[in-house]
Amino acid sequence: MTFEKIPYKIYLSEQEMPKTWYNVRADMKTKPAPLRNPGTGAPMGFEDLRGVFCDELVRQELDNDTAEIPIPREIRDFYKMYRPSPLVRAYCLEEKLQTPAKIYYKFEGNNTSGSHKLNSAIAQAYYAKQQGLAGVTTETGAGQWGTALSMACAYLGLDCKVYMVKVSYEQKPFRREVMRTYGAAVTPSPSMETEIGKKILQEHPGTTGSLGCAISEAVEAAAKNPGYRYVLGSVLNQVLLHQSVIGLETKAALDKYGVVPDIIIGCAGGGSNLGGLISPFMGEKLRGEKNYRIIAVEPASCPSFTRGRFAYDFCDTGMVCPLAKMYTLGSGFIPSANHAGGLRYHGMSPVLSQLYHDGLMEAVSVEQTKVFEAAEAFARVEGILPAPESSHAIRVAMDEALKCKETGEEKTIVFGLTGTGYFDMVAYEKFHNGEMTDYIPTDAELQKSFDKLPQVPGLD
Ligand SMILES: *Cc1c(COP(=O)(O)O)cnc(C)c1O
């Protein structure tokens, strides 16, 4: 088959945008393990979870069987403000690398939150509004999720309370002000507003916080305030479901030109963009229709897949959340403060964890100076200043393309460019000044954290 020359950017029309999300769990032979109650070890059902999450999202969280879930019209209308996102053929990067590989990236940074997170923020806010709730609480690390949720809540007229990891709150004042522009209340975490925040501050005075700790605070705040529920920007099954819009659009765009990828690459913090990007491709792989190499890229300083344990663990530092079975570094693991490159979460999506455990995808870890080298090289030829998180995927896409240069193979590589890095210039500055260092936790440090993994009543 021959096709016309592939344009620099492949866009879909509004009519071609997905009308349903794709739930990859429906095609998984081994389903992700259920969330469990830390006290009793029992799997958590609808009634157990609806105090924390809104009802429709609990249904989506627990649904391992329905492959296609309709995207409500209101959410599709919101998506049209910034979607479809372009699938870009990286002609300039290919030229610069002198590689025979064909490189594509799906760019999710074309909205004010600067990342893919808006795809799930609007869905979660929509279902909360539909249930008649007053507002939602959440945590944010670098600030993209908090920004995305603030935008969605402002659009729907919902109250939004964000616990922001203290180090980011201080280092990223502009991100904080974007959230406040959208009407969110932003509190640095750990804070004195919650019992768990006070406890963490007592045990670790001067701590710069972590995502796991901010989650504990947000969950507590949701439980304490009537009419509030907690929402989470990654890790959960429901978030991967909403993010499947990335993969569905990518696949539709590639199909238009008859392009079949060999390698699909994404950065992995909690796994939501990668899970969303690969979902429809993984579905084909699970159904035995096609085969793809799928690679998760994580920071060497927070290597959940490559050095973590596949075990039940708390999703948060405060140990107030349910237990999830996932690749984890232990909920007490706090990545080194010198790590600027995002993706600081200790755990990983249970869906991706199961797929990785079953050998259906690979994972690699990369050091942050290598990541920023790739970010800068990419920015100079492709015109987009990438987020440090996204740059993990750029790094490995470039490495794979350079391997093709050696072997002469014309592989097709697709990677997720999850966002822009305008709010990460302090990290870029460190890199430019040669002040960026690579921190890799020792086995002994990780072991200390693994030793604290919880026992699950009835399972161990
Ligand atoms: C949050 C974020 C990530 C990592 O989160 P995942 O859930 O692993 O996708 C990656 N890139 C950007 C730009 C982000 O904001």
Side-chain angles (χ1 to χ4, degrees):
M1 275 192 290
T2 54
F3 292 90
E4 61 191 283
K5 181 168 153 64
I6 291 163
Y8 186 82
K9 281 182 186 161
I10 308 178
Y11 277 108
L12 300 176
S13 69
E14 276 184 16
Q15 288 71 34
E16 291 169 315
M17 286 173 65
K19 296 187 177 57
T20 56
W21 289 301
Y22 167 63
N23 179 6
V24 71
R25 285 168 283 161
D27 285 306
M28 288 171 70
K29 274 148 217 100
T30 313
K31 306 292 181 192
L35 296 171
R36 288 184 187 271
N37 179 310
T40 66
M44 308 216 27
F46 183 75
E47 290 304 327
D48 307 309
L49 292 169
R50 61 183 301 208
V52 183
F53 303 116
C54 73
D55 292 358
E56 191 53 35
L57 292 168
V58 174
R59 284 188 201 100
Q60 294 182 356
E61 192 60 29
L62 297 174
D63 187 341
N64 284 341
D65 305 303
T66 313
E68 311 261 320
I69 296 180
I71 308 175
R73 189 190 46 78
E74 294 85 342
I75 298 177
R76 281 191 278 132
D77 285 345
F78 185 88
Y79 278 169
K80 283 175 193 163
M81 288 199 287
Y82 68 100
R83 311 200 68 82
S85 71
L87 182 73
V88 183
R89 173 72 184 270
Y91 283 117
C92 304
L93 183 62
E94 290 170 20
E95 173 70 24
K96 166 160 171 127
L97 298 176
Q98 288 290 300
T99 173
K102 299 174 175 66
I103 309 174
Y104 294 82
Y105 58 90
K106 180 71 168 164
F107 180 48
E108 291 290 320
N110 266 334
N111 69 77
T112 296
S113 82
S115 83
H116 65 287
K117 293 205 171 66
L118 198 51
N119 301 330
S120 183
I122 185 60
Q124 296 193 48
Y126 169 80
Y127 291 118
K129 180 76 181 179
Q130 210 193 23
Q131 195 175 317
L133 297 175
V136 289
T137 68
T138 199
E139 76 295 333
T140 198
Q144 291 97 321
W145 167 246
T147 308
L149 189 68
S150 310
M151 291 171 70
C153 287
Y155 180 79
L156 295 166
L158 265 182
D159 198 38
C160 181
K161 242 182 127 30
V162 181
Y163 290 86
M164 184 171 189
V165 177
K166 192 178 276 168
V167 61
S168 303
Y169 184 92
E170 285 161 4
Q171 286 182 358
K172 300 189 176 182
F174 295 152
R175 189 69 91 176
R176 181 181 80 210
E177 291 315 313
V178 179
M179 285 186 256
R180 293 176 65 198
T181 302
Y182 285 96
V186 188
T187 308
S189 166
S191 77
M192 297 298 280
E193 280 184 12
T194 63
E195 294 312 312
I196 196 70
K198 287 182 204 159
K199 185 160 166 268
I200 290 170
L201 281 172
Q202 223 163 44
E203 286 169 12
H204 307 273
T207 176
T208 50
S210 71
L211 262 189
C213 163
I215 294 175
S216 307
E217 291 206 85
V219 171
E220 185 185 320
K224 273 205 299 225
N225 292 299
Y228 280 74
R229 291 292 186 283
Y230 168 69
V231 293
L232 181 60
S234 184
V235 184
L236 295 173
N237 301 342
Q238 56 186 280
V239 184
L240 265 72
L241 174 72
H242 306 146
Q243 295 295 356
S244 69
V245 69
I246 304 173
L248 291 163
E249 282 185 10
T250 301
K251 187 154 189 326
L254 291 172
D255 284 350
K256 264 181 131 165
Y257 289 90
V259 177
V260 181
D262 297 296
I263 311 176
I264 305 168
I265 300 167
C267 63
S272 75
N273 86 83
L274 178 64
L277 173 67
I278 68 172
S279 274
F281 301 97
M282 184 59 86
E284 291 183 309
K285 191 164 169 162
L286 289 164
R287 296 189 300 272
E289 296 164 9
K290 290 240 172 66
N291 199 11
Y292 304 102
R293 250 188 97 196
I294 294 172
I295 309 175
V297 190
E298 58 186 14
S301 63
C302 194
S304 343
F305 269 135
T306 49
R307 295 175 68 200
R309 294 277 163 85
F310 189 40
Y312 268 102
D313 192 11
F314 289 96
C315 298
D316 62 320
T317 316
M319 306 183 186
V320 297
C321 289
L323 300 174
K325 191 173 182 193
M326 56 187 175
Y327 278 86
T328 179
L329 298 170
S331 64
F333 181 82
I334 296 185
S336 151
N338 87 342
H339 171 66
L343 311 174
R344 297 166 63 99
Y345 188 61
H346 68 272
M348 187 52 66
S349 139
V351 170
L352 292 188
S353 293
Q354 189 63 52
L355 291 167
Y356 178 68
H357 191 69
D358 292 340
L360 289 152
M361 54 185 277
E362 307 164 29
V364 293
S365 73
V366 288
E367 293 167 17
Q368 65 177 350
T369 48
K370 298 275 183 314
V371 167
F372 277 82
E373 278 167 22
E376 195 175 77
F378 180 88
R380 289 182 186 181
V381 291
E382 289 291 325
I384 295 171
L385 183 86
E389 293 89 344
S390 323
S391 305
H392 288 71
I394 298 176
R395 173 75 269 164
V396 173
M398 285 173 60
D399 290 346
E400 289 296 328
L402 289 169
K403 280 186 209 161
C404 288
K405 185 174 170 177
E406 279 173 26
T407 60
E409 286 173 291
E410 291 183 25
K411 288 195 176 145
T412 298
I413 300 169
V414 174
F415 74 89
L417 188 71
T418 50
T420 46
Y422 305 123
F423 291 109
D424 299 288
M425 295 327 287
V426 173
Y428 272 92
E429 182 186 28
K430 275 202 179 126
F431 173 69
H432 294 141
N433 290 346
E435 292 159 3
M436 181 170 275
T437 51
D438 292 314
Y439 179 77
I440 302 177
T442 62
D443 287 342
E445 269 174 89
L446 292 182
Q447 189 57 49
K448 240 172 93 183
S449 184
F450 295 146
D451 288 343
K452 294 195 199 117
L453 282 170
Q455 302 281 308
V456 186
L459 275 191
D460 291 304

